[in-house]
Amino acid sequence: MGRPELPVDHTLPERGELAAALRRIRTLAGLSYDELADRTGLSAATLKRAAWGKTVPAEETVIAFAAACGGDSVDVLRRLWLNARIADRGRLVQLRKPALPQFIDGRRELSAALEYFYEAAGAPSLRHFVALAGGAHLLPVSSAARIVKRQALPVSRQQMVAFLTACGLTGQPLDLWGDAFEEITQNPDGPYSRLNALFEKVTEGVEGPRRLRLSEHHRVVDSRGNPRFVLGARWTAADMTVARNLAAHSAASVG
């Protein structure tokens, strides 16, 4: 008869919740750690540490653990792993949630958004992250490292999409962030010309002002990423109406 397991460590609640869930599914499956080791190809010691709560196990360990116990809990356990990983790193709470991609107005904000998405995905190991992106031919490990450290942006739209795919983004958001990437990186006049272009696009066919310009001190989103238009010397009531229409149009396009 083996020694009893150490109690689950709940020092960090999210880690403890994951560990407790792993213990429950092992008990329900009626498997010993040695039997789990045979099924997963991992060592019994690694599996025991995963179900202790002192550290956050690798995502692959959690998935293999769940699959060996029947596989019905893989999705639930992956969510618990993500919560534990985010809490353990403590980085995501220090980052500002990005604005809608339509309102990202420069390289710095775009770079910050990419770090946010990486942390929100649990900051996987870079090699695993590259695999999720589709392989090193799309996103080399060295490039991924520079991007998550805000030292560089992706070198192309394809690499941008690969990075965000690894972060778990799909569908329309990928297209919108790809558009934002192209408009920001290919714009020689700086971030505010992108906002001007958005205004001009929305005002096509609208009676009244046809071309709106923003001074550099004007902001179109607040610190939480919500649309906010500041009345300046060159703004008219008609300009403000068009600005509000832009906010509604942009929000509806992702809603």
Side-chain angles (χ1 to χ4, degrees), residues 22-23 68 74 118 127 132 136 139 151 158 176 207 213 226:
L22 290 171
R23 291 194 182 190
V74 170
Y118 174 72
R127 292 196 179 279
L132 293 173
L139 181 65
Q151 295 173 347
Q158 182 184 49
L176 293 173
E207 294 183 4
R213 293 295 176 187
N226 300 313

Side-chain angles (χ1 to χ4, degrees), residues 126-141 144 159 162-163 166:
L126 289 179
R127 292 196 179 279
H128 182 50
F129 188 73
V130 165
L132 293 173
H137 64 290
L138 294 175
L139 181 65
V141 171
Q159 193 172 91
F163 183 95

Side-chain angles (χ1 to χ4, degrees), residues 11-236:
T11 303
L12 187 69
E14 292 85 354
R15 282 199 314 248
E17 186 178 4
L18 172 62
L22 290 171
R23 291 194 182 190
R24 282 195 299 271
I25 66 167
R26 183 183 73 84
T27 299
L28 290 172
L31 297 172
S32 68
Y33 282 108
D34 287 335
E35 290 169 328
L36 269 180
D38 290 338
R39 293 191 180 194
T40 62
L42 301 171
S43 70
T46 295
L47 296 166
K48 287 180 180 179
R49 282 195 300 271
W52 182 14
K54 194 72 172 178
T55 59
V56 179
E59 180 183 6
E60 300 92 324
T61 298
V62 171
I63 292 173
F65 196 122
C69 292
D72 294 339
S73 303
V74 170
D75 290 341
V76 171
L77 285 167
R78 191 192 180 283
R79 285 196 296 272
L80 292 176
W81 173 85
L82 183 59
N83 292 340
R85 174 72 171 166
I86 290 172
D88 188 62
R89 285 178 63 81
R91 175 63 179 156
L92 188 64
V93 296
Q94 302 174 30
L95 301 176
R96 180 180 298 170
K97 186 176 181 179
L100 295 174
Q102 296 95 320
F103 294 117
I104 297 295
D105 62 6
R107 288 174 173 267
R108 182 176 296 179
E109 286 191 20
L110 184 61
S111 184
L114 293 179
E115 183 189 8
Y116 181 92
F117 288 132
Y118 174 72
E119 290 294 335
S125 69
L126 289 179
R127 292 196 179 279
H128 182 50
F129 188 73
V130 165
L132 293 173
H137 64 290
L138 294 175
L139 181 65
V141 171
S142 58
S143 297
R146 288 194 296 272
I147 292 168
V148 300
K149 293 177 182 177
R150 299 198 200 183
Q151 295 173 347
L153 288 174
V155 297
S156 65
R157 180 176 182 138
Q158 182 184 49
Q159 193 172 91
M160 174 79 169
V161 169
F163 183 95
L164 293 175
T165 297
C167 292
L169 274 70
T170 60
Q172 188 184 40
L174 282 179
D175 293 333
L176 293 173
W177 281 103
D179 291 344
F181 169 82
E182 288 189 334
E183 291 166 2
I184 289 171
T185 58
Q186 296 177 13
N187 189 341
D189 299 323
Y192 283 89
S193 60
R194 175 172 184 258
L195 297 176
N196 292 328
L198 280 170
F199 272 76
E200 290 175 3
K201 182 175 181 180
V202 172
T203 57
E204 290 177 2
V206 176
E207 294 183 4
R210 300 291 299 203
R211 295 175 66 83
L212 302 177
R213 293 295 176 187
L214 292 168
S215 297
E216 290 195 0
H217 65 277
H218 287 137
R219 298 290 297 169
V220 296
V221 293
D222 65 17
S223 62
R224 296 178 179 272
N226 300 313
R228 185 186 69 183
F229 297 91
V230 181
L231 185 62
R234 292 185 292 169
W235 290 91
T236 66

